[in-house]
Amino acid sequence: MHIEVKNINYIYDKMSKEKKYALRDVSFDIFDNDYIAIIGETGSGKSTLVQHLNGLLKADSGDIKVDGVSIYSKNYDLNSLRFKVGLVFQYPEYQFFSETVISDVSFGALNMGYSEEEAKEMSKNILRTVGISDEYFDKFPFMLSGGEKRKVAIAGVLVMNPEVIILDEPQAGLDPVSKSELFKVLYDLHKKGKTIIMITHNMEDVIEYADKVIVMKNSKVLKVDKTASVFNDDKLLSEANIIKPEQVELMNKLNEKFKNIDIKKIKQKEIVEEIVNKIKR
């Protein structure tokens, strides 16, 4: 799936005399099997942006095309788009409305035409995959812990088998083990061809998982580039008020001292391999 975002603008206070933009002239492309991180200060427009990608919000101007077709065109099937582009909100409670975990997760599969039995079986498998055990299936979702709520919300999206999976702060509320399990699930989905888009303030997660980064500030996109290029762009990081991650600083300092260090290698495994190779040389 190819998503083209073309010069979209979104005004969040349309009644005000002075226009207040949540998004201003935003453009970028999303391609099949991308793993994208969207980063920037709180209030920069990240969450508003992703709600445009499956039509939950409509731009005041500009266009979004999916496989060459505008989602704003007459008779465009937005429900079909939302099955293909799944969104997990920052606050998982926003996605709950059923009395039990299993019925909540099953809802999307039922809407896709699966029988109740099929939907429940699919939901059980997905819930187990994200780390929710059988004992929670009949519990009231609002009574779960923060981390458990997030897992259930993610399962509710995954059960529809979307082509694009968008997660707003996916690691929030998760303990280290649960977070590791979640990113393993996302990694496996990405390897199977899914497109992953995540909003996060954790730059270490961006480095370890994302191939491409969208940097935002004040409702605008400052840059879209490969992860290593973004974190080695001091001017960009300063403009976006993003602190350079420690592992990037490490590689920069090693290169200053020893030269010929590949500063584009910033994932943990790559750093270890680069240091070992330098020692051998």
Side-chain angles (χ1 to χ4, degrees):
M1 177 184 287
H2 178 203
I3 301 176
E4 303 172 77
V5 179
K6 296 285 187 181
N7 307 110
I8 65 170
N9 293 280
Y10 183 73
I11 301 166
Y12 62 81
D13 188 358
K14 297 176 176 60
M15 302 302 292
S16 174
K17 291 182 180 180
E18 183 181 350
K19 291 182 179 180
K20 297 181 179 180
Y21 285 87
L23 298 173
R24 185 189 287 269
D25 197 28
V26 170
S27 298
F28 59 90
D29 288 87
I30 300 168
F31 298 98
D32 277 340
N33 204 216
D34 270 345
Y35 199 135
I36 299 173
I38 304 177
I39 65 175
E41 295 176 298
T42 299
S44 59
K46 304 183 297 298
S47 296
T48 301
L49 171 59
V50 296
Q51 290 180 59
H52 280 74
L53 299 182
N54 68 352
L56 287 178
L57 294 177
K58 183 178 180 180
D60 291 300
S61 62
D63 198 8
I64 297 176
K65 292 182 179 180
V66 175
D67 293 331
V69 179
S70 171
I71 69 172
Y72 301 140
S73 57
K74 188 177 180 180
N75 299 325
Y76 188 87
D77 188 353
L78 286 175
N79 283 332
S80 176
L81 174 65
R82 288 164 191 158
F83 287 135
K84 295 177 182 177
V85 182
L87 171 61
V88 181
F89 289 100
Q90 182 175 1
Y91 303 103
E93 298 84 13
Y94 292 176
Q95 295 180 229
F96 298 152
F97 52 86
S98 296
E99 293 183 356
T100 66
V101 166
I102 195 71
S103 60
D104 211 292
V105 176
S106 298
F107 181 79
L110 289 170
N111 276 349
M112 294 179 72
Y114 289 98
S115 69
E116 187 172 346
E117 183 179 350
E118 289 172 327
K120 283 189 174 181
E121 193 59 34
M122 292 164 62
S123 299
K124 288 176 182 179
N125 291 332
I126 291 293
L127 282 163
R128 291 168 186 145
T129 297
V130 298
I132 296 294
S133 57
D134 296 29
E135 64 190 273
Y136 289 92
F137 291 175
D138 293 323
K139 291 195 173 186
F140 188 45
F142 289 95
M143 299 302 291
L144 302 178
S145 69
E148 290 162 351
K149 287 176 184 176
R150 183 160 298 278
K151 291 178 183 179
V152 171
I154 291 169
V157 168
L158 295 185
V159 75
M160 294 183 289
N161 194 29
E163 295 178 42
V164 180
I165 302 164
I166 304 173
L167 306 103
D168 195 343
E169 297 290 352
Q171 78 287 352
L174 298 181
D175 58 74
V177 173
S178 296
K179 175 183 167 182
S180 177
E181 291 171 348
L182 170 60
F183 277 107
K184 173 65 165 57
V185 170
L186 296 177
Y187 176 81
D188 290 342
L189 289 168
H190 181 242
K191 286 298 181 183
K192 292 176 182 176
K194 301 292 185 185
T195 298
I196 309 293
I197 303 171
M198 66 174 178
I199 295 173
T200 182
H201 287 94
N202 189 314
M203 297 303 108
E204 285 70 26
D205 290 340
V206 176
I207 287 172
E208 288 303 312
Y209 300 105
D211 301 317
K212 186 190 298 183
V213 180
I214 297 172
V215 185
M216 297 191 70
K217 185 178 182 184
N218 295 336
S219 309
K220 298 180 180 179
V221 169
L222 295 182
K223 191 171 187 178
V224 181
D225 208 340
K226 291 182 179 180
T227 305
S229 297
V230 164
F231 286 113
N232 278 295
D233 188 335
D234 291 341
K235 183 179 178 182
L236 172 67
L237 296 180
S238 176
E239 184 179 359
N241 288 328
I242 294 170
I243 298 173
K244 182 179 286 190
E246 291 181 356
Q247 57 263 56
V248 181
E249 288 278 19
L250 171 64
M251 294 304 280
N252 289 166
K253 289 179 180 179
L254 286 173
N255 188 51
E256 289 175 8
K257 184 173 180 62
F258 298 107
K259 309 301 180 186
N260 299 321
I261 293 289
D262 189 350
I263 61 173
K264 292 183 179 180
K265 293 184 176 181
I266 56 176
K267 297 181 187 293
Q268 288 184 15
K269 185 178 179 181
E270 294 173 340
I271 292 172
V272 172
E273 290 175 349
E274 186 70 8
I275 292 173
V276 170
N277 289 335
K278 186 66 178 177
I279 292 171
K280 287 180 179 178
R281 290 196 298 267

